[in-house]
Amino acid sequence: MRSKMYCIVTFFILICHMNGYAQQTKRICDTIPYEFIREKIVIPVVVNGVKVKYIVDTGGQTGTMWEEAMEMKAESAGSLVSISDFNGTGVSYQKGILKNIQLSPNYQIDELNTMVLPEVGMFKDLGVAGILGGDAFAQTVITFNARKKIMILNYPYRPRGLKIEDGVEMFAGTTHHSIVNVKVGGEMKKMLFDSGAQGFFSISKDDFIEFREKGLCNQADQAYGVNGAGLVGLGEAVDVYKGSVPELDFLGKRFTNVGSITSPNSRSIIGVDILKYGEVVIDYMRNRFYFFPFDDEVEDMGGAPKTWNAGIMPRNDRFEVTTVWSSMKDQLSFGDEVVDINGTKLTGLPMSQWEIEEIMSTIEGEQAYIVILKDGKEKKVEIRKE
């Protein structure tokens, strides 16, 4: 009788153990539809019962604006997070802790560290609380499919049928950044796949100079200024180069005449536009990165990008000339105040880079004019795309 009872108890414990193990290793495969707004991937998230939206930024670190963090009842971690933004500017933010983060119907994170950010105009314009970096997905495998505008989240296993040898090593480090080797003119260079970066390719200034000296990059023009805003605004004005690399191979997909404008970042970036050419799968747990092209055609990217020979952005609570290309160096200076673009008065316009981009994008043809205010006098200056 005792022997029979022992067998029953042992069997019961075994069943409980098996059920517990099955529960711990439950396979999750959730599809997350996303919005693609102004070249940003935006997904719905529930944090501590609060429904919000976040930008998915594989090149960044999770950050939440202060007001939204308070609504989510984020806890203070009592320390600071130091990062470098788009312009390479170092900045520190208070660290907070988010609780109960529902990333998909079946996947929830109990706790997630977040930078607590001041109000960011771009986030407000997009209606998002902040950004989710690779740290938010550190225990998952995520697939980006731009044709269907979906992300697929797998946990704890890779998608069925995906072989580890189909991918390449990812150098994620402690930041969970999706850094992989990319071949440029036959030479390997570590680059960051950044879903939060617009465009196809952003080359670091250091890489541009190195490639140029090795004959792997062609220079088309040079400017002085800044060409983008980071979390802390515009960086310092520097020399900016425009050009192209004759050939770039991204994990088996070949691109030729790949144009780019240099950035102050320490690392070159493959931006969100790579998703137009194939599926990206990131296995954060195993540090493997996969790219599955939609076809095997060689893509001609058209060479150095055509841009206006004067860049304008909000700065110092007004609109200023922030990039001066070589053909304009005798007519404009970095910091000149701009009050009119091709007949559109800028007085009263919100201090937004997107406002300027919207005006510039509606200009027909490749010639226009701006009006600058210098020494109290207005001066009309012709600009052109080149």
Side-chain angles (χ1 to χ4, degrees):
M1 181 68 179
R2 288 181 62 187
S3 177
K4 183 178 181 182
M5 181 63 71
Y6 176 80
C7 290
I8 291 172
V9 171
T10 303
F11 182 71
F12 178 74
I13 292 172
L14 181 60
I15 291 295
C16 288
H17 176 75
M18 290 173 63
N19 285 342
Y21 181 80
Q23 188 174 19
Q24 291 172 24
T25 57
K26 177 184 176 183
R27 181 185 289 271
I28 293 173
C29 179
D30 283 349
T31 298
I32 308 171
Y34 66 75
E35 299 175 85
F36 195 59
I37 311 172
R38 294 181 176 177
E39 296 190 73
K40 302 295 181 186
I41 294 173
V42 177
I43 65 170
V45 182
V46 180
V47 183
N48 232 4
V50 181
K51 294 181 178 180
V52 290
K53 293 182 179 181
Y54 274 91
I55 296 169
V56 177
D57 186 351
T58 59
Q61 201 167 336
T62 296
T64 309
M65 289 188 293
W66 184 88
E67 185 177 338
E68 284 73 9
M70 294 305 99
E71 185 181 358
M72 299 169 193
K73 296 182 172 55
E75 298 178 1
S76 173
S79 58
L80 297 175
V81 181
S82 297
I83 62 165
S84 293
D85 71 357
F86 170 82
N87 288 301
T89 305
V91 62
S92 295
Y93 295 109
Q94 186 72 34
K95 182 194 286 187
I97 301 173
L98 301 176
K99 301 275 190 176
N100 305 317
I101 305 97
Q102 192 83 31
L103 290 177
S104 68
N106 297 294
Y107 186 76
Q108 178 173 302
I109 306 171
D110 294 333
E111 289 187 356
L112 178 64
N113 289 332
T114 182
M115 297 180 292
V116 180
L117 308 172
E119 182 175 303
V120 179
M122 179 185 72
F123 293 170
K124 287 291 186 182
D125 290 344
L126 288 173
V128 301
I131 58 176
L132 291 176
D135 49 330
F137 302 95
Q139 298 301 311
T140 71
V141 183
I142 55 173
T143 301
F144 292 93
N145 187 314
R147 288 184 171 179
K148 297 180 180 178
K149 286 188 181 178
I150 59 172
M151 286 173 54
I152 300 172
L153 186 152
N154 286 87
Y155 171 85
Y157 308 109
R158 298 187 303 275
R160 294 184 189 277
L162 185 64
K163 299 177 181 177
I164 198 163
E165 58 266 27
D166 293 335
V168 298
E169 182 180 3
M170 185 171 74
F171 307 93
T174 58
T175 57
H176 307 290
H177 284 168
S178 42
I179 297 168
V180 295
N181 275 317
V182 178
K183 190 181 293 184
V184 177
E187 183 169 311
M188 288 294 190
K189 176 67 70 170
K190 288 184 175 62
M191 297 186 187
L192 170 67
F193 164 63
D194 187 351
S195 64
Q198 67 183 42
F200 179 80
F201 181 48
S202 175
I203 190 169
S204 75
K205 183 178 176 181
D206 289 345
D207 283 353
F208 184 91
I209 293 171
E210 178 189 337
F211 289 159
R212 185 186 63 191
E213 291 176 351
K214 292 180 176 180
L216 304 177
C217 182
N218 304 315
Q219 181 174 327
D221 203 353
Q222 182 174 346
Y224 181 75
V226 295
N227 59 5
L231 285 174
V232 294
L234 302 182
E236 297 295 322
V238 295
D239 288 331
V240 180
Y241 302 100
K242 177 166 62 172
S244 62
V245 295
E247 184 172 332
L248 183 151
D249 186 316
F250 186 75
L251 279 62
K253 176 72 173 178
R254 289 180 57 217
F255 300 88
T256 59
N257 301 313
V258 183
S260 184
I261 297 174
T262 59
S263 76
N265 283 318
S266 60
R267 193 179 298 281
S268 295
I269 290 171
I270 300 295
V272 71
D273 278 5
I274 191 65
L275 299 180
K276 295 177 181 178
Y277 303 98
E279 275 193 354
V280 163
V281 182
I282 307 175
D283 186 342
Y284 285 100
M285 290 184 286
R286 300 161 191 87
N287 286 329
R288 300 295 288 179
F289 188 97
Y290 305 79
F291 180 66
F292 299 103
F294 295 133
D295 58 56
D296 58 2
E297 292 184 10
V298 177
E299 306 288 344
D300 188 331
M301 306 302 283
K306 213 167 190 179
T307 60
W308 291 101
N309 58 3
I312 303 161
M313 284 194 282
R315 181 173 178 266
N316 298 324
D317 296 320
R318 61 185 194 177
F319 294 101
E320 294 184 0
V321 173
T322 51
T323 313
V324 181
W325 291 95
S326 59
S327 61
M328 298 299 288
K329 64 182 181 180
D330 295 327
Q331 300 184 60
L332 294 171
S333 298
F334 178 82
D336 284 345
E337 182 179 1
V338 182
V339 295
D340 184 296
I341 299 177
N342 215 43
T344 300
K345 302 290 184 184
L346 304 187
T347 305
L349 208 64
M351 290 288 111
S352 167
Q353 181 180 346
W354 284 336
E355 293 285 348
I356 297 300
E357 289 175 356
E358 184 68 23
I359 293 171
M360 302 300 282
S361 67
T362 59
I363 296 174
E364 296 182 1
E366 298 187 350
Q367 291 186 320
Y369 70 86
I370 61 175
V371 177
I372 63 172
L373 189 62
K374 210 162 189 174
D375 300 324
K377 297 181 180 179
E378 291 189 353
K379 178 185 175 183
K380 185 177 180 180
V381 180
E382 301 291 331
I383 62 173
R384 65 180 182 271
K385 279 186 179 178
E386 55 185 30

